[in-house]
Amino acid sequence: MSVAAIFQDAARTATSHRKNVVALRKIHIRKGHALEADFCRCVARILPVKKGHPEAERIILFLAAYLEGCKVEGDEGVGKAILDGLVGKLLNLVLRGFKAKDKNVRFRTCQIVWLLLNHLEELDDATFCLVRDELFLRSKDKEAAVRTQAASAISRLQDVGDEEEDELVRECLLNMLQHDTSVDVRKAVLWNISVNSITLPYILERARDVDPHVRKLAFRKITEDVEKMGMIPIEDRDMLLNSGLSDREANVQKAAVAMLCERWIPECGDKLLNLLHKMDVMSGNAAESAAKAYMLSVTNSSDDSIPPLKISFDEDMWNNLDVEEAFFVRTAITFYSENQMHDELEDALPSLLKHSEFLQRYGLLLAQTEDTDEAIALDFILRQLLLIAEVQDYADEMGRRDLLLILRDMLSSLDLRKENILIIVRIMKSRASSESDFTRMIIEVLYTIYDIEGPESQDSINVPIRPEDVTEEDIERSILMLKCMDVICCVLECAEANLQENASMTGILDSFVLPSLTSPHPATNYAALQCLSLACLLDKTLAQRHIQLFMSAFNDQRTELSSLALKVFFDLSVLFGPDLLLTPGVLTEVISETLQCDDEDLLTLAVEGSAKLMMLSFMADELVLQQIIVLYYHPHTRSMNRLRQCLSYFLPVFAHAAHPNQALLQTVTLPSLRILAQEYTDSKDSMVAPLQIGGQLIDWIDVRRVVRSEGGGESASEDLHALLALELLEAAKEEEDLAIEKLWCQLLSRLHLADCADADKLTRIAESTTGLMRSLPKGSTSLPPLKKFARAVAEIDETTLRQANEDEFLDQQTLITAMSELRNEME
């Protein structure tokens, strides 16, 4: 058989490749270098063939099989010199295709170069530089398929031993990995790039890629190519597991679980506790989800060689817990409780009496320690024990009383974090017979912490203190009052009943919260205001009574007070309705004023609250909506990701939710665009062009896209685009700025008027369009887009409109006249 016949047979079917490889090798041995010309001629046949063509793909497979077969044979088969000669000849052939105009040739060239580089042990310097430079150029090719093959080929040039060359290749690959828009290119680079201390951070970044396929491949890459978990810093381990286990794509989650269970856990001796020692369980976000994912994997595993994860109570371990052990035990017990694993839960839990002893032990250690790091660790261990107490079985009455007594003592005597206080309050509330009984227990705790009936009476809370007169006793009492505020805040977060039904809670407010509102200590003042805000959510009357107090806090110069007051306004409006503020329009004024501030947190809070009120139809103010739209596109908010993310979701959902929302949006479209167009003249590089903004707003007020109508069919049939067309025509007629005049005319052509059945509006549109066309000079840049709009209006058949009565008949006759004038003007 000739070389051409062998290639032809290989192109027909892949099943004959093995036979043809043997046949071609025999010819190659016999003819030596004389075979190269025929071989290259056959390979050149597939260069113009597009990607995916079956016969061309079979030739590529055959070429790979032949080169691999020759490489395996070595000196016993085709000689190394003969094989290198063939590869070199092929390389010289395809190098000429790098700059071809045909994208198929460029694609096949990169594909074959990648194949040849796989079978070349070394290249001379001149050829290496030539191939490298050409591939670098193809890495920026306009065709994604070409860039993908170029990425695979460039990856073969890694780790050649020359530091400068390696750096150039690495920079090219990392640039493609980070910035290429094609998913296939990023996948090709990710899978082929070498893992080292420089590239590893960029590989880890792909675990948060926008495409789920790249994210899944990133976890596979880490699983297979990262030799040891220790190569990855602790914070990056946390990021990896947190993003992977919480990913919305099931396949990405599976890849993350596989990395955890098949690579990291075996590396830790198949012990979850060893893994937790290599993670940040105190401040990290992924340790708990990782532990539960592993426990779920073990529980659901059908592999009998994997023993079930079972924890038995060990008193010695409980008496000497470290941070990781406490976290491990709590996570396991929580997992058993959530999955109704009653036998395992019973084996793992200590008795209530023992649990009380452990709480008392670690609480005493926390009170006695003077080391900051040790105090943080003990506080964390105590929190784990408290969380375990939430799932305890309280059937043992003696144990229950003992545990509650310990909890009350801890609440009053220990300096606890607010998170731990909240857990204790939840446990006490769940064990109380009623909300009143629970509140009475809390009152006892509060009076134990801060005896307001003592030598320093309640009146001393409100006595103004000059800074130079502050004593250690004043500071100590202020700290105790702050602790009381923390407890009260947690109680109010857990409370559900109306305050009017709970007289004890009113006593707490009168004795502790309200007096502290006038405290000279800012921290106490803020904490008291926070407690009062939570209390107002439980009682509308109380909220109405103190609304002016929150208004004063909003006008305070301290940003934290303004933020808290604004949150209160939004929460109370959502809970009790916007009429809670007795003076009409006060809430709107507050929001409008806040939307003009410079503080990012306050501005974002105002935007989020306004969006909620508008979606709930509690507020429909044109000025607020206009400010929100301007903020969304304004360059001032370019770095405010949270604000823009909120509005990216709110604006289209709000517009398409109901027709009244679209009508409100239509009224503010033109004023908003005018402000943004003026801003664009000074900030062209940092904001979207007004034409794009206008196109998006027009799409949002398209009545065809509304999801539901809240005003009946009549209001829903109103053509907002027709109203906007009239506004744009009038604005263009009066506009002095030629650039903005052109903008109004360009936006006209984006409106949809074909379904408009209102003869009066169509008449006014036709007349205004005709008048504007006549008023514009012949060389005006606004004339072409205006004529485009005029043609769209002229195509509407006015004779098909219904004539319900004589007035509508007269309107139609007027419309016919106006349309005739418009068509004549077009001619």
Side-chain angles (χ1 to χ4, degrees):
M1 294 177 64
S2 66
V3 175
I6 291 175
F7 269 87
Q8 184 66 36
D9 189 47
R12 293 193 189 99
T13 175
T15 57
S16 64
H17 282 186
R18 188 173 180 180
K19 175 193 69 177
N20 286 317
V21 165
V22 175
L24 185 58
R25 188 185 301 136
K26 291 179 180 178
I27 299 175
H28 199 176
I29 293 171
R30 186 174 67 252
K31 298 182 65 175
H33 293 295
L35 178 82
E36 293 170 2
D38 292 340
F39 200 104
C40 291
R41 200 161 29 246
C42 293
V43 171
R45 294 283 184 178
I46 67 168
L47 292 180
V49 182
K50 66 180 181 180
K51 176 186 176 183
H53 192 283
E55 293 185 349
E57 298 302 326
R58 291 190 197 108
I59 292 297
I60 294 293
L61 290 175
F62 174 69
L63 179 59
Y66 182 73
L67 293 175
E68 185 63 33
C70 292
K71 187 176 180 181
V72 171
E73 287 289 335
D75 294 333
E76 298 177 4
V78 178
K80 183 178 182 301
I82 297 177
L83 178 60
D84 289 346
L86 175 63
V87 172
K89 194 78 172 180
L90 284 172
L91 192 58
N92 290 330
L93 168 70
V94 296
L95 280 176
R96 290 178 287 172
F98 272 123
K99 292 184 174 66
K101 292 183 179 180
D102 189 341
K103 64 180 181 181
N104 297 320
V105 175
R106 299 197 305 274
F107 168 77
R108 292 297 177 189
T109 295
C110 292
Q111 187 181 37
I112 295 173
V113 167
W114 167 74
L115 197 62
L116 296 175
L117 291 176
N118 279 339
H119 296 87
L120 272 176
E121 295 182 1
E122 58 182 18
L123 281 174
D124 60 82
D125 292 343
T127 306
F128 178 89
C129 292
L130 178 61
V131 171
R132 181 202 62 197
D133 293 342
E134 292 293 346
L135 287 174
F136 281 0
L137 289 174
R138 289 311 103 214
S139 70
K140 299 176 183 178
D141 197 280
K142 62 181 179 180
E143 297 295 330
V146 177
R147 299 199 303 274
T148 302
Q149 290 299 327
S152 299
I154 292 171
S155 67
R156 300 301 303 166
L157 303 179
Q158 298 177 97
D159 305 323
V160 296
D162 187 308
E163 187 174 339
E164 292 184 2
E165 294 292 349
D166 288 344
E167 185 177 356
L168 288 173
V169 172
R170 185 166 55 242
E171 285 180 1
C172 179
L173 290 174
L174 291 178
N175 183 64
M176 297 173 76
L177 182 63
Q178 283 187 292
H179 305 298
D180 201 289
T181 56
S182 170
V183 174
D184 290 334
V185 173
R186 298 200 300 277
K187 286 172 64 178
V189 176
L190 179 61
W191 188 246
N192 290 293
I193 194 169
S194 299
V195 178
N196 53 52
S197 59
I198 299 175
T199 61
L200 184 58
Y202 298 93
I203 295 172
L204 299 180
E205 279 183 4
R206 291 308 99 202
R208 291 177 291 178
D209 195 275
V210 294
D211 187 85
H213 298 93
V214 178
R215 298 199 298 273
K216 176 185 175 183
L217 187 64
F219 283 102
R220 282 190 57 199
K221 176 76 171 179
I222 295 166
T223 302
E224 297 184 16
D225 290 355
V226 178
E227 295 180 0
K228 293 184 179 180
M229 184 174 59
M231 292 177 62
I232 305 174
I234 290 180
E235 57 273 14
D236 289 333
R237 295 176 212 166
D238 187 82
M239 178 277 295
L240 267 178
L241 289 173
N242 186 47
S243 59
L245 297 175
S246 61
D247 201 287
R248 286 177 289 185
E249 290 289 332
N251 289 331
V252 180
Q253 284 190 25
K254 290 178 181 177
V257 172
M259 179 190 71
L260 172 69
C261 298
E262 297 174 10
R263 190 63 185 263
W264 287 11
I265 292 288
E267 187 179 328
C268 297
D270 290 322
K271 291 183 179 181
L272 178 58
L273 185 57
N274 292 345
L275 175 70
L276 294 176
H277 277 93
K278 296 184 178 182
M279 296 189 66
D280 184 2
V281 300
M282 292 181 64
S283 57
N285 300 315
E288 183 169 355
S289 56
K292 289 184 177 180
Y294 174 68
M295 287 187 279
L296 185 64
S297 175
V298 170
T299 303
N300 297 335
S301 176
S302 58
D303 190 351
D304 296 334
S305 63
I306 302 176
L309 186 65
K310 191 172 182 179
I311 300 174
S312 298
F313 172 69
D314 183 349
E315 186 170 350
D316 290 338
M317 183 189 71
W318 283 74
N319 276 317
N320 300 282
L321 289 171
D322 62 16
V323 167
E324 288 77 19
E325 287 174 340
F327 180 84
F328 170 66
V329 172
R330 194 271 302 170
T331 305
I333 289 174
T334 306
F335 177 79
Y336 295 151
S337 177
E338 291 173 349
N339 291 275
Q340 306 295 316
M341 301 170 68
H342 301 295
D343 294 338
E344 289 82 354
L345 184 62
E346 186 177 352
D347 291 339
L349 280 174
S351 65
L352 284 175
L353 288 174
K354 284 292 183 183
H355 204 142
S356 302
E357 291 178 9
F358 299 142
L359 286 170
Q360 192 172 24
R361 169 183 170 77
Y362 289 102
L364 185 61
L365 290 173
L366 177 61
Q368 293 175 345
T369 185
E370 296 181 358
D371 183 82
T372 304
D373 293 337
E374 186 180 0
I376 294 173
L378 287 170
D379 184 87
F380 181 81
I381 293 171
L382 198 59
R383 180 156 67 250
Q384 307 311 304
L385 294 175
L386 290 171
L387 289 170
I388 294 172
E390 285 194 288
V391 300
Q392 270 281 13
D393 182 4
Y394 288 88
D396 179 8
E397 181 63 23
M398 183 179 295
R400 184 185 71 84
R401 290 180 181 178
D402 193 47
L403 184 62
L404 289 178
L405 186 62
I406 292 295
L407 292 177
R408 289 172 60 181
D409 184 59
M410 291 173 62
L411 202 58
S412 58
S413 61
L414 287 181
D415 184 16
L416 299 173
R417 293 177 183 268
K418 193 173 180 180
E419 296 89 343
N420 290 349
I421 294 175
L422 182 59
I423 301 171
I424 293 176
V425 168
R426 285 203 306 254
I427 296 172
M428 293 175 66
K429 184 176 186 298
S430 65
R431 297 299 102 201
S433 57
S434 65
E435 191 130 343
S436 298
D437 179 51
F438 163 64
T439 309
R440 282 192 292 271
M441 287 192 294
I442 294 298
I443 290 176
E444 293 178 10
V445 172
L446 292 174
Y447 276 86
T448 304
I449 298 171
Y450 193 102
D451 185 7
I452 61 173
E453 299 298 333
E456 295 82 3
S457 64
Q458 176 179 333
D459 295 335
S460 67
I461 299 176
N462 300 327
V463 176
I465 302 176
R466 294 180 301 174
E468 59 270 17
D469 296 335
V470 174
T471 64
E472 291 185 5
E473 186 178 353
D474 294 329
I475 296 174
E476 184 178 348
R477 292 184 66 80
S478 177
I479 292 173
L480 292 176
M481 181 54 71
L482 273 175
K483 183 175 180 180
C484 290
M485 292 298 108
D486 284 343
V487 174
I488 295 170
C489 184
C490 294
V491 170
L492 289 169
E493 286 181 18
C494 296
E496 298 174 359
N498 192 294
L499 291 187
Q500 296 179 2
E501 302 173 4
N502 191 349
S504 301
M505 187 64 73
T506 305
I508 292 177
L509 294 176
D510 293 339
S511 300
F512 290 91
V513 177
L514 296 179
S516 298
L517 289 171
T518 56
S519 170
H521 304 288
T524 305
N525 190 261
Y526 177 82
L529 191 66
Q530 190 176 28
C531 291
L532 181 62
S533 68
L534 292 170
C536 289
L537 296 177
L538 300 171
D539 187 353
K540 184 177 181 180
T541 305
L542 184 69
Q544 291 174 325
R545 191 187 312 152
H546 293 98
I547 198 69
Q548 289 303 324
L549 176 64
F550 292 113
M551 191 65 70
S552 300
F554 173 75
N555 293 321
D556 197 281
Q557 293 182 351
R558 289 172 287 180
T559 305
E560 62 272 12
L561 288 182
S562 300
S563 257
L564 177 59
L566 195 59
K567 290 178 183 177
V568 172
F569 293 149
F570 287 133
D571 290 343
L572 293 179
S573 298
V574 170
L575 191 60
F576 301 121
D579 297 334
L580 182 70
L581 297 174
L582 301 179
T583 307
V586 171
L587 180 60
T588 304
E589 291 178 7
V590 167
I591 293 173
S592 180
E593 179 184 341
T594 310
L595 290 174
Q596 300 176 48
C597 73
D598 294 326
D599 186 88
E600 180 177 345
D601 294 334
L602 204 58
L603 189 60
T604 303
L605 179 62
V607 167
E608 290 176 347
S610 305
K612 291 176 183 177
L613 292 179
M614 286 187 174
M615 283 302 302
L616 294 170
S617 301
F618 285 162
M619 183 175 69
D621 186 81
E622 293 181 9
L623 177 59
V624 171
L625 183 58
Q626 178 182 320
Q627 288 176 302
I628 285 176
I629 292 172
V630 171
L631 282 172
Y632 181 46
Y633 296 104
H634 202 280
H636 176 66
T637 63
R638 183 174 55 174
S639 61
M640 301 182 187
N641 295 329
R642 182 177 164 189
L643 182 148
R644 288 206 168 182
Q645 186 176 18
C646 170
L647 293 181
S648 295
Y649 177 81
F650 162 69
L651 287 172
V653 172
F654 173 76
H656 297 150
H659 179 75
N661 296 349
Q662 288 185 315
L664 181 66
L665 188 60
Q666 181 267 323
T667 59
V668 301
T669 295
L670 209 60
S672 303
L673 278 173
R674 190 180 297 278
I675 295 172
L676 291 167
Q678 292 172 350
E679 181 64 33
Y680 183 72
T681 58
D682 300 324
S683 311
K684 290 185 178 181
D685 297 332
S686 56
M687 67 178 289
V688 180
L691 183 61
Q692 292 177 262
I693 297 173
Q696 193 167 43
L697 292 173
I698 288 171
D699 178 70
W700 287 341
I701 62 174
D702 191 340
V703 294
R704 298 171 299 172
R705 300 192 61 181
V706 70
V707 176
R708 57 186 173 88
S709 300
E710 290 184 349
E714 183 177 351
S715 64
S717 65
E718 184 178 8
D719 195 339
L720 299 178
H721 278 196
L723 291 173
L724 185 58
L726 290 170
E727 291 182 8
L728 288 170
L729 287 166
E730 185 64 26
K733 181 180 178 182
E734 299 177 357
E735 187 60 56
E736 296 180 358
D737 190 325
L738 296 180
I740 297 181
E741 176 190 80
K742 180 182 178 181
L743 171 65
W744 302 146
C745 293
Q746 287 175 316
L747 291 175
L748 282 168
S749 61
R750 302 195 176 195
L751 298 172
H752 180 78
L753 303 176
D755 298 332
C756 181
D758 190 331
D760 178 59
K761 289 190 185 67
L762 274 178
T763 301
R764 290 160 58 194
I765 289 172
E767 292 174 346
S768 298
T769 305
T770 303
L772 185 58
M773 289 174 63
R774 291 172 178 172
S775 65
L776 291 175
K778 288 186 178 181
S780 173
T781 56
S782 303
L783 202 54
L786 182 61
K787 286 184 177 181
K788 182 179 179 181
F789 172 70
R791 283 192 293 271
V793 176
E795 290 174 358
I796 299 175
D797 187 358
E798 68 276 13
T799 61
T800 60
L801 300 181
R802 291 178 297 130
Q803 305 168 27
N805 51 47
E806 184 177 351
D807 291 338
E808 290 190 3
F809 175 76
L810 295 175
D811 288 342
Q812 189 180 31
Q813 298 308 307
T814 306
L815 173 61
I816 292 173
T817 304
M819 295 291 280
S820 298
E821 291 184 10
L822 177 63
R823 290 172 181 133
N824 291 334
E825 183 67 25
M826 291 293 296
E827 293 176 359

